[in-house]
Amino acid sequence: MTSRASTRPVGTVTRGTTNPNRLRRMDRWIAATHGAALRRAEDPVAVDLGYGAAPWTAVELLARLRTVAPLVRVVGVEIEPARVAAAKPYEREGLVFRHGGFEIPGAERPVLVRAANVLRQYDEGEVADVWARICGRLAPGGLLVEGTCDEVGRRHVWVALGVEGARTVTFATRLGSLGRPSDLAERLPKALIHRNVPGEPVHAFLRDFDRAWAAAAPYASYGARQRWMRAVRELRADWPVVDGPARWRQGEVTVAWEALAPRGR
């Protein structure tokens, strides 16, 4: 007989803070970069892990992913049973809510797991195990996107991972609200936020990004977007930027994880 302890969801309850449209930048990036994988999948399941006290992010994820993968299904997963009960009235074709945690309940192997603002309360030393647990549930070709954003989604940083581990780090911002790129440091995911100190790669990256931003000041007369794009072009001379102008125009830049990974990892 399976013990009660063995079926208990893995993880702890988060604050549950959420707002409509908070994760639009992450969703937009997922649709652009992972939409083809969702379309190809025989069972295109996406999981919104830790959606919080209200189901808005899961509802929005379904709508956004269906613009690129019409057959996708979304499963909202929450560790707090009361939140699952409150979300049930929002279920519809293609959208269900389940009680669970990092073990990802259900028989499906998701093609996508999105975990936003979930790991901030955990210790840095716990992150690798959580990543490995979730990635172990992914379907072949699946993706885990884990990161942090502010309360209204103006600034967001996330890590993309496959079954082999971390691949990239993406910085995304509403350009009109940006003072300098290092403003994004407060939204670094848990794996990086305590590493923004001299001697660590992410600190050097943000320092160089600020310098490129300052050098691109003359482009500000053409707008914040042109300044950002110029700064990223300068930045990629020394850093492995893996995306291009189409994403930069959205206020994004994606860098290979190996370049920013903490020392000693």
Side-chain angles (χ1 to χ4, degrees), residues 118-127 131 146-148 157 159 187-195 262 265:
V118 173
L119 293 184
R120 286 187 72 84
Q121 68 184 26
Y122 289 81
D123 291 334
E124 181 186 352
E126 298 176 276
V127 171
W131 282 356
E146 186 273 309
T148 305
V157 186
V159 181
R187 300 300 165 184
L188 287 168
K190 194 65 178 188
L192 295 173
I193 194 165
H194 300 300
R195 301 304 184 113
R265 180 168 293 185

Side-chain angles (χ1 to χ4, degrees), residues 58 69 108 111 128 195 209:
E108 309 99 331
V111 183
R195 301 304 184 113
F209 205 168

Side-chain angles (χ1 to χ4, degrees), residues 48-117:
D48 185 9
L49 180 61
Y51 57 83
W56 318 134
T57 60
V59 172
E60 292 167 351
L61 182 63
L62 177 65
R64 289 166 180 154
L65 291 185
R66 284 205 161 173
T67 64
V68 294
L71 300 181
V72 73
R73 296 184 292 120
V74 170
V75 179
V77 174
E78 246 299 333
I79 200 167
E80 171 54 63
R83 295 174 183 171
V84 180
K88 284 292 184 178
Y90 294 87
E91 290 188 339
R92 63 190 68 174
E93 184 276 323
L95 177 63
V96 297
F97 295 92
R98 294 178 183 160
H99 179 220
F102 297 135
E103 78 287 352
I104 313 292
E108 309 99 331
R109 294 177 66 83
V111 183
L112 168 73
V113 176
R114 184 189 66 183
N117 305 300

Side-chain angles (χ1 to χ4, degrees), residues 16-29:
T17 305
T18 189
N19 283 302
N21 217 29
R22 186 182 187 187
L23 302 183
R24 61 195 181 278
R25 300 184 192 283
M26 181 183 275
D27 290 352
R28 182 171 60 200
W29 182 87

